Amino acid sequence: MPNHLLLRESGSQPINGNFCFHLYERQLSLEGIELNVNISDVVLKTFTNSSKNITIGGASKPVDCFSKYRVNIVVPYRRRPEQLRVFLHYLHRYLQLQEIDYRIIVVEQSPEMHFNRGKLFNVGFVESQKRFPSDCYIFHDVDLIPLSLNNIYACTKMPRHLSSAVDTFDYELPYCGIFGGAVAITSQHFQSINGFSNLFYGWGGEDDDLYFRVSQAELGVVRFEKNVAKYKMLRHEKEVPNPNRFVTMKKNKIIHAVEGLNNLNYTMLSYELKSLYTLMRVHL
Ligand code: NGS
């Protein structure tokens, strides 16, 4: 499996010391970072105060070795504080165990419109590339928790569907083109497919549309085996599906090249470096 993973920007070398060995070489386990699905504000504050090596804005990298993998993790968000707390509490510890050089970026949509997951990812990508560029992105839902440490949070040569074995689907793929949840893709590939569509307001379709874009560009998709790509989905009420999603998907099959990153518009309402994440609040 490690051979499939792309190393961070070519040419990067540790200035002092050595590359990290990472987990597949050390066989650590998740012991010690068990998942707690009820994290209060107080618990998260205690975690923040006690956690070492997370810099303001929610970035971290190993201190005693040079990580082979550097990634920006973008999380679209609105009104799910309980899940965000659980996600941050778990994911920081998980990524630190994996010895990844990472930053967590939360992109929060203002209340006026229906939630637009794809567009929030596009904004997170564009804004992050301006401020803290990375060759590798993970587009990640806040309600998904990776359960195997071997699911290294890095990019592969082909775009990777990370969350292909989710507990709510009995760890099976519900259909072969499913491409939602958590996806890793290089910046170069993401740019080449013109990102996500901006047109999906409401639940559903934007991830299938991304799969279409990736297939059209013949990039291929990779998934790791079931016991590696295992996730727990945190409980939440089912979102109301967007009734227009099939029409939009059909239309996008023609216009995807001119609809996405290249015609993205939004208003940044605020930009804040929180202790455990970088927060971008946007109006779409
Ligand atoms: C499909 C949706 C996807 C969604 C997937 C799984 O039906 O956007 O279900 O959803 N596609 C359409 O509606 C066209 S889940 O059960 O994980 O919420 O990702």
Side-chain angles (χ1 to χ4, degrees), residues 145-181:
I145 302 293
L147 296 177
S148 162
L149 254 196
N150 290 323
N151 195 1
I152 298 282
Y153 268 42
C155 282
T156 37
K157 275 193 189 152
M158 293 191 258
R160 175 157 67 109
H161 184 216
L162 276 79
S163 55
S164 51
V166 181
D167 59 349
T168 49
F169 294 128
D170 284 333
Y171 306 104
E172 298 291 341
L173 281 184
Y175 56 99
C176 97
I178 190 161
F179 206 47

Side-chain angles (χ1 to χ4, degrees), residues 102-146:
Y102 68 90
R103 172 182 295 267
I104 298 179
I105 300 130
V106 174
V107 192
E108 181 176 11
Q109 185 179 338
S110 60
E112 301 80 12
M113 306 280 282
H114 285 298
F115 195 64
N116 188 328
R117 180 175 177 270
K119 197 167 176 185
L120 289 170
F121 281 137
N122 282 346
V123 174
F125 175 77
V126 168
E127 290 294 330
S128 304
Q129 284 300 76
K130 286 189 218 159
R131 297 161 202 262
F132 18 76
S134 174
D135 284 355
C136 172
Y137 273 76
I138 292 184
F139 298 115
H140 209 301
D141 285 346
V142 71
D143 58 0
L144 280 177
I145 302 293

Side-chain angles (χ1 to χ4, degrees), residues 4-283:
H4 303 299
L5 297 167
L6 286 179
L7 299 183
R8 59 190 302 164
E9 342 36 289
S10 50
S12 286
Q13 288 292 333
I15 303 160
N16 294 308
N18 298 310
F19 280 117
C20 301
F21 279 111
H22 297 282
L23 288 160
Y24 44 83
E25 290 149 319
R26 290 198 281 124
Q27 304 207 317
L28 286 185
S29 74
L30 276 168
E31 271 168 47
I33 66 157
E34 48 295 310
L35 171 64
N36 183 345
V37 292
N38 283 308
I39 300 293
S40 64
D41 265 333
V42 176
V43 169
L44 196 68
K45 207 160 247 154
T46 311
F47 169 72
T48 307
N49 295 338
S50 66
S51 55
K52 295 185 192 84
N53 192 31
I54 301 176
T55 50
I56 185 139
S60 183
K61 59 184 172 190
V63 276
D64 48 10
C65 58
F66 187 82
S67 179
K68 290 176 191 163
Y69 310 114
R70 148 123 195 78
V71 62
N72 280 341
I73 298 167
V74 181
V75 183
Y77 176 80
R78 188 160 70 183
R79 289 195 298 261
R80 296 229 187 139
E82 308 79 14
Q83 292 190 346
L84 185 59
R85 289 197 296 268
V86 174
F87 180 83
L88 294 167
H89 183 249
Y90 183 86
L91 217 72
H92 276 295
R93 293 175 300 154
Y94 176 89
L95 294 169
Q96 287 189 327
L97 272 181
Q98 287 193 342
E99 297 185 320
I100 307 289
D101 179 344
Y102 68 90
R103 172 182 295 267
I104 298 179
I105 300 130
V106 174
V107 192
E108 181 176 11
Q109 185 179 338
S110 60
E112 301 80 12
M113 306 280 282
H114 285 298
F115 195 64
N116 188 328
R117 180 175 177 270
K119 197 167 176 185
L120 289 170
F121 281 137
N122 282 346
V123 174
F125 175 77
V126 168
E127 290 294 330
S128 304
Q129 284 300 76
K130 286 189 218 159
R131 297 161 202 262
F132 18 76
S134 174
D135 284 355
C136 172
Y137 273 76
I138 292 184
F139 298 115
H140 209 301
D141 285 346
V142 71
D143 58 0
L144 280 177
I145 302 293
L147 296 177
S148 162
L149 254 196
N150 290 323
N151 195 1
I152 298 282
Y153 268 42
C155 282
T156 37
K157 275 193 189 152
M158 293 191 258
R160 175 157 67 109
H161 184 216
L162 276 79
S163 55
S164 51
V166 181
D167 59 349
T168 49
F169 294 128
D170 284 333
Y171 306 104
E172 298 291 341
L173 281 184
Y175 56 99
C176 97
I178 190 161
F179 206 47
V183 164
I185 184 165
T186 63
S187 309
Q188 200 191 355
H189 278 159
F190 192 63
Q191 239 141 6
S192 77
I193 60 169
N194 202 14
F196 277 85
S197 166
N198 301 308
L199 300 178
F200 290 87
Y201 283 88
W203 182 89
E206 81 295 333
D207 47 352
D208 301 313
D209 185 86
L210 186 74
Y211 186 78
F212 171 77
R213 289 171 185 237
V214 164
S215 317
Q216 279 295 106
E218 297 181 359
L219 300 181
V221 162
V222 62
R223 293 189 176 107
F224 288 171
E225 55 203 71
K226 236 198 248 186
N227 62 336
V228 172
K230 251 167 106 167
Y231 280 76
K232 176 177 178 58
M233 190 182 280
L234 302 173
R235 281 165 163 274
H236 56 85
E237 275 177 32
K238 198 116 182 97
E239 306 280 339
V240 182
N242 163 11
N244 302 321
R245 64 196 188 287
F246 295 105
V247 178
T248 309
M249 280 167 73
K250 201 166 164 196
K251 191 166 87 185
N252 270 15
K253 294 208 161 43
I254 302 155
I255 62 166
H256 62 95
V258 291
E259 197 287 294
L261 286 177
N262 71 339
N263 70 342
L264 175 66
N265 63 67
Y266 57 93
T267 312
M268 271 289 256
L269 301 176
S270 66
Y271 167 77
E272 212 180 321
L273 298 177
K274 300 265 196 192
S275 334
L276 296 179
Y277 58 100
T278 296
L279 176 63
M280 297 172 180
R281 290 185 51 252
V282 292
H283 173 73

